[in-house]
Amino acid sequence: MFDHITPSTPDPIMSLMEAYMQDANPQKVNLGIGLYYDHQGNIPLMQAVHIAEQRLLEQQRPHTYPPIEGSALFARQIQTLLFGEPVDRIATVQSVGGSGALKLGADFIYHYLARREIWVSDPTWANHWAIFEGAGLKVNTYPYFDDASGELRFAAMLDTLSALPEGAVVLLHPCCHNPTGTDLSPAQWQAVIEVVQRRRLLPFFDIAYQGFGDGLDEDCFALRAMLKTDVDFLVSNSFSKNVALYGQRLGGLSVRCATAEAAVNVKGALKTLIRRSYSCPPTHGSQIVETLLADPQLYQLWASELTTMRQRIKQMRVGLAAGLEQGGTTLDYTRIRDQKGMFSYTGLNERQLGQLRQQYSIYLVAPGRMCLPGLNQQNLDYVAAAILDVTRTA
Ligand code: LMR
């Protein structure tokens, strides 16, 4: 029955993580998967999460079924995080992580909007391709980043978006672009929104790193600016990174509709898709986040912990760039210093990446994506010296 199944291609990000875990070198450094490590190199249990979990334990709630769409409170909290307040015209459901929200959104686009194509940035997160193709959509690209110059290809991006057919679905990263760390400015977002309105495109925003760019509210500039228009759109969000709940698989899908009545029907469609896929979402992660977002003191604690994480990443950017500058690198270290979020598109080539991995046990995702939180004061000099070594020749 199964003999015809050939070996599958390993996922480029997850398989790198596995290789890192198996590496016996005590000096190994994981700059691969989008995972936040603290200054001691540990994946943190956020204090706000710990307190929320203790409260849940004390309540001794039974593990009953949640509603198909997750709790109503959680949906309102997601809307408040993304848009500043709950919005009647938005249908929000809990999802199985950000990836689950993307898949649910893709299924919605395929089954309820009869679209068969999507446009993503070139480059984009590798799993965007896998998720959308897996949902039956043809994946096309719009220009975004020029790896040779390190520049955003904004004019070319606008040209391509302007030429798309009416109703075309466009995947956009509101902040902390994955993999390049290069974001649009507010003025550039306004220009994109103008094209989206004029061409009547359907934006699908993927915000997996809210809080890691400039701040929880600042990172939602594009979403909130879009909400002020008459454009309908989708948003997938994730709590993997900003609440460090990776394994709880917690996220949300929000669909902004023309009216509150339309939002009720869209939520019904999403519930149908969920029920026939995994029935209803898991509850532990959402109860943690509900608890911490509902309590102003816990919210403050969480927000300040997130600020510390964001600032630490910036310090590591500046520290590594300074180390490379002092060593006289040929690499354009200003990218590492100036890009935003967890990632930097360093410009390191495949040979250099291979050398970093083989000689130094330093892991980056090809082509040249570095996850900065893997750096800390203990390994910064080691990584800078290794990069200087492998970039001596082009
Ligand atoms: C990443 O880009 O490394 C993260 O989003 C983790 C993942 O699932 O790929």
Side-chain angles (χ1 to χ4, degrees), residues 35-89:
L35 197 54
Y36 181 86
Y37 291 95
D38 66 15
H39 65 288
Q40 290 171 317
N42 298 319
I43 298 164
L45 171 65
M46 293 178 87
Q47 195 57 26
V49 169
H50 184 53
I51 295 171
E53 271 188 312
Q54 278 176 328
R55 286 190 195 165
L56 290 172
L57 200 62
E58 281 157 20
Q59 287 167 12
Q60 297 195 350
R61 292 197 213 175
H63 297 282
T64 185
Y65 286 123
I68 293 173
E69 70 275 33
S71 86
L73 171 61
F74 187 53
R76 283 198 301 279
Q77 289 172 324
I78 289 177
Q79 292 175 1
T80 305
L81 266 184
L82 298 178
F83 299 102
E85 59 188 0
V87 188
D88 282 350
R89 279 178 304 164

Side-chain angles (χ1 to χ4, degrees), residues 222-242:
L223 302 181
R224 296 178 189 185
M226 192 62 93
L227 187 64
K228 290 191 187 127
T229 72
D230 60 355
V231 173
D232 292 341
F233 59 91
L234 290 83
V235 186
S236 61
N237 78 290
S238 169
F239 294 101
S240 294
K241 331 282 175 173
N242 59 12

Side-chain angles (χ1 to χ4, degrees), residues 13-304:
I13 296 176
M14 290 297 190
S15 60
L16 196 75
M17 174 82 174
E18 284 163 25
Y20 168 81
M21 300 294 278
Q22 280 161 18
D23 192 327
N25 184 349
Q27 283 193 295
K28 66 183 177 178
V29 184
N30 187 7
L31 307 179
I33 190 164
L35 197 54
Y36 181 86
Y37 291 95
D38 66 15
H39 65 288
Q40 290 171 317
N42 298 319
I43 298 164
L45 171 65
M46 293 178 87
Q47 195 57 26
V49 169
H50 184 53
I51 295 171
E53 271 188 312
Q54 278 176 328
R55 286 190 195 165
L56 290 172
L57 200 62
E58 281 157 20
Q59 287 167 12
Q60 297 195 350
R61 292 197 213 175
H63 297 282
T64 185
Y65 286 123
I68 293 173
E69 70 275 33
S71 86
L73 171 61
F74 187 53
R76 283 198 301 279
Q77 289 172 324
I78 289 177
Q79 292 175 1
T80 305
L81 266 184
L82 298 178
F83 299 102
E85 59 188 0
V87 188
D88 282 350
R89 279 178 304 164
I90 298 181
T92 296
V93 297
Q94 183 181 333
S95 66
V96 184
S99 300
L102 289 163
K103 172 66 164 72
L104 184 60
D107 286 346
F108 176 69
I109 287 164
Y110 186 97
H111 293 287
Y112 287 86
L113 308 182
R115 304 288 203 286
R116 295 292 179 264
E117 291 185 82
I118 187 165
W119 277 260
V120 302
S121 61
D122 175 24
T124 195
W125 180 45
N127 212 26
H128 281 147
W129 285 82
I131 289 171
F132 293 131
E133 285 181 344
L137 300 175
K138 177 172 182 282
V139 181
N140 309 292
T141 60
Y142 58 85
Y144 190 78
F145 187 79
D146 179 27
D147 201 17
S149 67
E151 302 285 327
L152 189 71
R153 300 178 62 194
F154 188 62
M157 172 184 177
L158 273 195
D159 282 352
T160 302
L161 296 186
S162 303
L164 294 186
E166 188 172 305
V169 187
V170 181
L171 196 278
L172 297 162
H173 306 221
C175 66
C176 309
H177 183 270
N178 182 3
T180 69
T182 301
D183 289 339
L184 302 188
S185 67
Q188 287 169 326
W189 274 119
Q190 293 295 2
V192 168
I193 289 170
E194 192 274 319
V195 172
V196 165
Q197 275 187 293
R198 182 160 44 83
R199 297 295 308 148
R200 302 181 61 78
L201 304 178
L202 176 57
F204 191 165
F205 290 101
D206 179 13
I207 180 160
Y209 296 87
Q210 184 184 0
F212 283 94
D214 292 318
L216 280 167
D217 289 321
E218 293 83 345
D219 289 352
C220 293
F221 175 85
L223 302 181
R224 296 178 189 185
M226 192 62 93
L227 187 64
K228 290 191 187 127
T229 72
D230 60 355
V231 173
D232 292 341
F233 59 91
L234 290 83
V235 186
S236 61
N237 78 290
S238 169
F239 294 101
S240 294
K241 331 282 175 173
N242 59 12
V243 194
L245 283 179
Y246 307 91
Q248 292 298 336
R249 309 309 303 133
L250 185 64
L253 179 70
S254 297
V255 183
R256 177 256 161 89
C257 310
T259 62
E261 293 72 42
V264 171
N265 294 338
V266 166
K267 187 178 272 188
L270 298 177
K271 285 170 67 170
T272 301
L273 291 169
I274 292 169
R275 178 67 174 149
R276 70 188 192 198
S277 172
Y278 54 90
S279 187
C280 58
T283 48
H284 187 63
S286 57
Q287 286 174 355
I288 293 171
V289 173
E290 258 180 34
T291 305
L292 78 82
L293 292 180
D295 177 327
Q297 275 182 333
L298 270 193
Y299 178 93
Q300 281 311 322
L301 176 60
W302 166 64
S304 73

